[in-house]
Each structure stands twice: as structure tokens, then as C-alpha cells.
Amino acid sequence: MPRIAFDELPGDARVWIFAAARPLGRPEQERLLVEVDGFIAGWGAHDAPLTAGRELRYDRFLFVAVDQRRVGPSGCSIDALVREMKRLGRELGVELVDHAPVVFREGDEIRRVARDEFATLAAAGAVGPDTTVFDNTLTRLGDVRAGRWETPAANSWHARAFF
């Protein structure tokens, strides 16, 4: 099925968030989106096409979402998406699939650090419950739209893990 506009997907759509290790340059962004569009056009589960869309934010966060009301993704289709993202990451020379680092705002800058480094920053008081973090573990598009993706650490799993 052809890609649909991201904002046309329902709130209960299943979403995956891929955070690039660094901001992508304009040519990298264009290539990433063209490749993802091609993947989505042929993406299916059990021989049924998936209705999906994508969006890139802040030059580094790729959202891919599926309307599960029509056809839900299968384990194999999810594996195919992850394989595609790993392949694109290798070709672009940037990590796209690692969910272990913590991504947060430091002023206007978006930083990505290892969890132990974020814990050190928290212990030193350099980051705290009011620090804006990106919760890339969300799986419902409605949660992203409700502001739970880019949120103070106090409102996400980061609070339990670090504060």
C-alpha cells in the first residue's frame, strides 16, 4: 500500500521511533526518507499490505507508524522494518536502531549519551526531573501526539530510572 500522510494515522497506530546518533545532513535526510518510503510501499504482514506513514523530526528522529485497524504488523514485518533501519544506518554511517542511549535537551542542543553517563549527570545535578527527554520507547502514536515523547523526565520512565 502506498504511504499515507503521517497526520492521517489514528492515535492508536503502532509507532516505532528511531533516533539517529547525530543530526542528519540534508542529503542524508532525503535519502533516508526516499528509502523508507520505498520500504513502506512494499511493507506487508502475511501477504496483506500495511497502511503506514513516516515523519522525520529535528533532523534525527524517524517515526514509522502503522494503522493497526486495517492490518496489524506481524513479528516478521516488524523484523523487516528493523532490518531495513539497520541497513540504512550502515549505509548512512549513523546508528539508527540503538534504544539504550538517553536522548535529552541541554538548552537548544539535543544530546545522546549512554545511560551510565546520564546517571552520572543526574547524580551531579546537571540533569534532573525537569530536563526534557525523548521517550523513544513509546509504541502508540497517540502518546506521541499527547506530548509524552518530548517531555520532562519526571513524566517518563527516566524518573524511575534516574531520579
Side-chain angles (χ1 to χ4, degrees), residues 30 37 76 109 115 132 153:
E30 291 170 3
D37 288 349
C76 292
E109 180 186 357
R115 289 184 188 211
T132 299

Side-chain angles (χ1 to χ4, degrees), residues 55-117:
E55 183 173 274
L56 184 65
R57 295 186 187 176
Y58 303 133
D59 302 332
R60 70 186 313 157
F61 298 99
L62 177 69
F63 294 78
V64 176
V66 172
D67 182 351
Q68 301 180 101
R69 294 176 185 179
R70 297 178 185 195
V71 175
S74 64
C76 292
S77 63
I78 295 167
D79 289 347
L81 172 63
V82 172
R83 276 193 310 275
E84 179 68 4
M85 296 310 299
K86 286 180 178 180
R87 180 191 70 78
L88 286 169
R90 282 191 305 274
E91 290 184 10
L92 294 171
V94 63
E95 180 61 56
L96 295 171
V97 181
D98 187 0
H99 291 295
V102 176
V103 186
F104 65 102
R105 283 196 181 276
E106 188 171 71
D108 290 336
E109 180 186 357
I110 296 175
R111 291 192 56 199
R112 175 182 158 128
V113 299
R115 289 184 188 211
D116 61 342
E117 184 177 345

